[in-house]
Amino acid sequence: MEKDADTRPPGAADDWTIPQGWDRYSAADHATWDRLFDRQAQMLQGRVVPQFLAGLDILRMDRPGIPDFAALNGRLMAATGWQVVAVPGLVPDRIFFDHLAHRRFPAGRFIRTPEQEDYLQEPDIFHDVFGHVPLLANPVFADYMQAYGRGGLRADGLGAIAKLARLYWYTVEFGLIATDEGLRLYGAGIVSSNAESRFALEDPSPHRLGFDLRRIMRTRYRIDDFQQSYFVIDSFEDLLAQTTQTDFAPLYADLAALPDYDTDSILPGDRVLMCGTQAYARHKEKE
Ligand code: HBI
Ligand code: FE
């Protein structure tokens, strides 16, 4: 995830932030946001965790047009003390972690073009703001994100960013959560993707496995296609408790000597909620 992320573009501050420049979005940019928003708002009914919809509501994100960070931040700050700051795209790991550790979420300010509506590699404002920001209005999830940032700064000192990044990937980006009504989505990579919103929850192909911190940190992930395994947390409280009560330093030392797991493995200790057929990934391989 470090493509071109190491040279600070001219105009960016030391912490890589730039002005959002909200006045510079075109009518077409706003229309793209609205189209994506409406499509996902429909798709997510009955699929996303209720706290996400509550966040959209608290932050009044259902208003038309690309959100103006100044207005958004007034509401977000009041809810949980978080802020959104604009960045040019991917930023270096340490910069990224430092923002999170200070309750600032770095968001891309550009929006995808209509041709890119279904897939793009760099996080744009729709992924970052629609995908990530609603749950930052939830106090427990907000604390988890800050704890992750702090953990990232420590992991950097221990040479363990790659291991910790898997935790982010399988929770913040591609996490599922068990609720009384059944499995629900909460990962930003899923909720900002129309196709993966359905795939992650309903397709028979991927595995759905119970959250296991140590196991996740040994598990590779895919950046090029739908995940082959999703990990399911019991609650945000449990996620926060498990990660803040773990001493990561000895864990990293342990893991450094152990092999990684493949994206489609099922292991003896796994809590298997659904064993996937992996038909989707196998079909793709043959193409
Ligand atoms: N930068 N803007 C941005 N967004 C991210 O999600 C991001 C990043 N830089 C680094 C990064 N993610 C990951 O490599 C870390 O979670 C490890
Ligand atoms: Fe993201």
Side-chain angles (χ1 to χ4, degrees):
M1 264 211 270
E2 280 181 297
K3 189 186 67 114
D4 297 327
D6 289 326
T7 0
R8 183 154 54 93
D14 288 348
D15 65 358
W16 286 62
T17 57
I18 53 176
Q20 185 191 11
W22 188 82
D23 293 332
R24 296 213 300 274
Y25 294 116
S26 67
D29 292 338
H30 288 297
T32 299
W33 172 281
D34 289 345
R35 212 163 40 244
L36 291 166
F37 188 101
D38 290 346
R39 188 169 68 156
Q40 279 319 92
Q42 281 194 26
M43 174 59 82
L44 294 179
Q45 289 303 326
R47 290 194 173 91
V48 78
V49 72
Q51 290 93 324
F52 180 93
L53 298 175
L56 286 181
D57 201 45
I58 290 165
L59 302 173
R60 308 217 197 128
M61 285 179 62
D62 60 343
R63 301 206 174 158
I66 296 173
D68 182 341
F69 291 177
L72 187 62
N73 282 339
R75 301 183 189 115
L76 185 55
M77 185 61 93
T80 57
W82 271 76
Q83 272 178 274
V84 181
V85 294
V87 292
L90 286 176
V91 303
D93 292 336
R94 270 202 84 82
I95 301 282
F96 183 68
F97 295 141
D98 192 64
H99 280 301
L100 299 184
H102 292 91
R103 295 174 94 86
R104 292 187 301 263
F105 189 78
R109 74 173 171 187
F110 74 99
I111 189 151
R112 65 197 73 182
T113 64
E115 297 74 50
Q116 295 170 316
E117 244 162 66
D118 292 309
Y119 180 79
L120 81 170
Q121 257 188 344
E122 283 231 28
D124 75 337
I125 194 168
F126 187 74
H127 168 80
D128 278 337
V129 174
F130 180 87
H132 285 284
V133 173
L135 282 179
L136 291 175
N138 176 268
V140 180
F141 192 82
D143 284 353
Y144 173 68
M145 288 291 279
Q146 179 176 30
Y148 181 84
R150 290 175 169 161
L153 293 171
R154 288 190 294 267
D156 191 22
L158 298 166
I161 286 185
K163 295 280 188 294
L164 187 68
R166 292 168 173 171
L167 175 63
Y168 192 86
W169 193 263
Y170 282 119
T171 59
V172 178
E173 294 292 355
F174 292 97
L176 302 183
I177 184 166
T179 75
D180 293 341
E181 280 74 49
L183 289 190
R184 291 291 183 270
L185 312 171
Y186 76 91
I190 306 175
V191 304
S192 62
S193 159
N194 196 253
E196 196 153 1
S197 290
R198 192 176 269 132
F199 180 85
L201 217 51
E202 285 138 61
D203 200 280
S205 193
H207 303 316
R208 282 99 179 169
L209 308 172
F211 176 86
D212 175 339
L213 181 58
R214 188 183 163 90
R215 199 270 196 225
I216 284 175
M217 293 207 295
R218 293 181 62 181
T219 308
R220 286 189 257 271
Y221 57 79
R222 300 192 62 139
I223 59 166
D224 59 326
D225 208 334
F226 299 148
Q227 302 306 302
Q228 289 180 266
S229 300
Y230 296 93
F231 290 89
V232 181
I233 60 170
D234 289 332
S235 64
F236 293 135
E237 285 79 5
D238 183 57
L239 175 64
L240 178 64
Q242 284 208 46
T243 49
T244 51
Q245 286 160 19
T246 298
D247 187 356
F248 281 69
L251 194 50
Y252 295 144
D254 246 27
L255 298 185
L258 297 171
D260 286 339
Y261 299 128
D262 281 323
T263 51
D264 63 349
S265 300
I266 297 249
L267 306 169
D270 284 342
R271 192 156 52 94
V272 181
L273 304 178
M274 270 176 253
C275 177
T277 61
Q278 297 299 329
Y280 172 81
R282 298 219 179 96
H283 178 75
K284 275 287 190 95
E285 261 166 37
K286 289 198 207 102
E287 276 177 4

